[in-house]
Each structure stands twice: as structure tokens, then as C-alpha cells.
Amino acid sequence: MSIEDRAKATGKNIEGKAQEALGNVTGDPEDKAKGKAKQAESEVRHGIEDAKDNVKEKLN
């Protein structure tokens, strides 16, 4: 598990939530969509890290 990669993914999730919230406040659908996309990217990154962890665990 790369702590750095997980931290980046978490940061991307927070950034996405903030951008989505800003879009909700301002009524900007583009900001809302970009925020949701960043959150989805974060989920994928966390999934990749989970898969890496599972492979390393099986090899040990």
C-alpha cells in the first residue's frame, strides 16, 4: 500500500466534494459535475490501492 497514493486519492475526494458543494451553492452544473468526477476518480484510485494490497498479501 502506498500511503502517498492513498493520501492523494483522499485529497482528490475532498477536492471533489468541495467543488460539488460550490456548484450546489452557485448553481453551476459544471462545477457539480467536475466535483462528482473527482470523487469517482478518488474511488477508482482507492480501489487500485486495495487491489495492490490484496495481491501483496497473497504473495506473502
Side-chain angles (χ1 to χ4, degrees), residues 12-59:
K12 183 66 76 171
N13 187 41
I14 292 168
E15 181 182 340
K17 286 180 186 268
Q19 189 168 11
E20 182 182 7
L22 178 65
N24 285 332
V25 169
T26 62
D28 186 348
E30 186 176 332
D31 268 341
K32 289 193 310 192
K34 286 181 180 179
K36 287 184 180 190
K38 287 178 182 178
Q39 291 174 63
E41 179 185 344
S42 170
E43 287 181 33
V44 170
R45 287 184 182 192
H46 277 293
I48 291 169
E49 290 305 311
D50 290 343
K52 286 181 190 177
D53 287 346
N54 287 335
V55 168
K56 286 179 185 177
E57 193 174 293
K58 301 258 187 223
L59 293 176

